[in-house]
Amino acid sequence: MSSSKSKTGRSSAQNIETSGTRKVHSRHTWKLESISHGKGQPVSRKAIQHVQDEVAKRKDKFHFSKQEIESLCTIFRHLTKSDRIDRPRFRDVLHNTFDMTDDILMDRVFKAFDRDNDGQVSMLEWVVGLNTYLRGTLDEKIAFAFNCYSLKGEKHITREEIFQLLKSSVLKQAGDEDLDESIKELVEITLKKMDKDHDNRLGDNDFSQSVKEDPLLLSCFGQVFANARRKAEFERVVEHMSEEVVFGQQFTQEQLAAVFNY
């Protein structure tokens, strides 16, 4: 692995605009099937124990085993090589690992994981976030999705927010000069179907009731959760690592290169 290749990979990850919506240019793709044991930076026993202690406090709401939590912590450490994932790096993970492409929703998912709003995702926030993102109950996923769709972080979603979300997720068809008008029609159709209390906005109760009537509406404003194939790939890696994980396991530089394609 040459130093010029490493520099190219790192510079491409940094080549992200700082304002407005942004596209992912990073080459930090994650070859999930390549994860294995070796030498490299270990996961701190203290760090993992902290996560496990915090998870134990909410055990009835948690869907990962102790071994799987260890695996998620190991994955986290080798994604970030520190104790935090910043927003650009987290967007890389969403894009390259879970096939998310919508700029607005990738940022909203990041906000949902970043529970203390410090602009970074900690190891604990990573595990707690994935608990819902991958294995949440329908009620948990409804709350998560609504939180992502509510761009202002309120208990309702306005017409303007619905318009913005739909415009971001709908691809403009060739020759379609009236995209905005088409989306406005979709907004009205959506509100007619989902606005149960007829207050011209979509409240969290409206959204919950609508999704329970038709689960496909969970993704009505764009992709929030991983698609089925990517979710299955990630779950297989977690399962495999949980069967063979060594506390504080390490990777060689060659294995890290295979995993993260630096």
Side-chain angles (χ1 to χ4, degrees), residues 4 22 30 93 152 168 210 227 231 246 262:
S4 60
R22 303 168 299 146
W30 188 358
V93 176
K152 297 178 182 178
S168 180
S210 298
N227 65 43
K231 178 181 181 294
V246 176
Y262 281 146

Side-chain angles (χ1 to χ4, degrees), residues 30-32 34-43 70-71 73-79 81 237 240-241 244-246 248-260 262:
W30 188 358
K31 296 180 179 179
L32 294 170
S34 302
I35 291 180
S36 58
H37 303 292
K39 296 180 180 179
Q41 185 178 8
V43 182
E70 262 185 52
S71 299
C73 290
T74 299
I75 290 169
F76 175 92
R77 176 52 55 85
H78 293 291
L79 278 172
K81 297 187 176 66
V237 170
H240 173 73
M241 292 180 69
E244 301 184 6
V245 69
V246 176
Q249 70 168 322
Q250 302 175 340
F251 293 153
T252 65
Q253 288 301 313
E254 290 75 16
Q255 287 165 336
L256 284 172
V259 173
F260 300 115
Y262 281 146

Side-chain angles (χ1 to χ4, degrees), residues 197-240:
D197 57 8
H198 308 292
D199 63 352
N200 293 311
R201 60 187 186 180
L202 192 63
D204 53 355
N205 289 330
D206 296 329
F207 184 75
S208 178
Q209 184 177 340
S210 298
V211 172
K212 288 178 179 179
E213 292 173 356
D214 181 359
L216 291 177
L217 291 174
L218 186 65
S219 302
C220 60
F221 300 131
Q223 180 190 351
V224 169
F225 299 102
N227 65 43
R229 180 176 63 86
R230 289 294 199 172
K231 178 181 181 294
E233 288 176 353
F234 190 95
E235 290 276 14
R236 279 197 296 271
V237 170
V238 172
E239 181 181 1
H240 173 73

Side-chain angles (χ1 to χ4, degrees), residues 72-120:
L72 293 176
C73 290
T74 299
I75 290 169
F76 175 92
R77 176 52 55 85
H78 293 291
L79 278 172
T80 183
K81 297 187 176 66
S82 69
D83 59 354
R84 294 286 190 276
I85 299 180
D86 62 15
R87 186 166 67 121
R89 183 63 167 144
F90 190 84
R91 283 167 55 101
D92 286 350
V93 176
L94 292 177
H95 177 75
N96 296 319
T97 304
F98 297 122
D99 273 354
M100 287 193 68
T101 58
D102 189 296
D103 294 285
I104 292 176
L105 290 179
M106 281 194 285
D107 281 342
R108 293 302 299 164
V109 171
F110 173 78
K111 289 285 291 182
F113 272 68
D114 179 20
R115 298 168 74 89
D116 62 4
N117 297 311
D118 68 348
Q120 301 179 93

Side-chain angles (χ1 to χ4, degrees), residues 176-208:
D176 184 1
E177 298 179 356
D178 298 317
L179 179 64
D180 284 1
E181 290 303 315
S182 298
I183 293 175
K184 286 178 182 178
E185 292 179 9
L186 284 176
V187 171
E188 296 307 314
I189 293 171
T190 300
L191 281 172
K192 184 176 180 180
K193 180 177 181 63
M194 300 179 70
D195 180 18
K196 304 299 184 180
D197 57 8
H198 308 292
D199 63 352
N200 293 311
R201 60 187 186 180
L202 192 63
D204 53 355
N205 289 330
D206 296 329
F207 184 75
S208 178

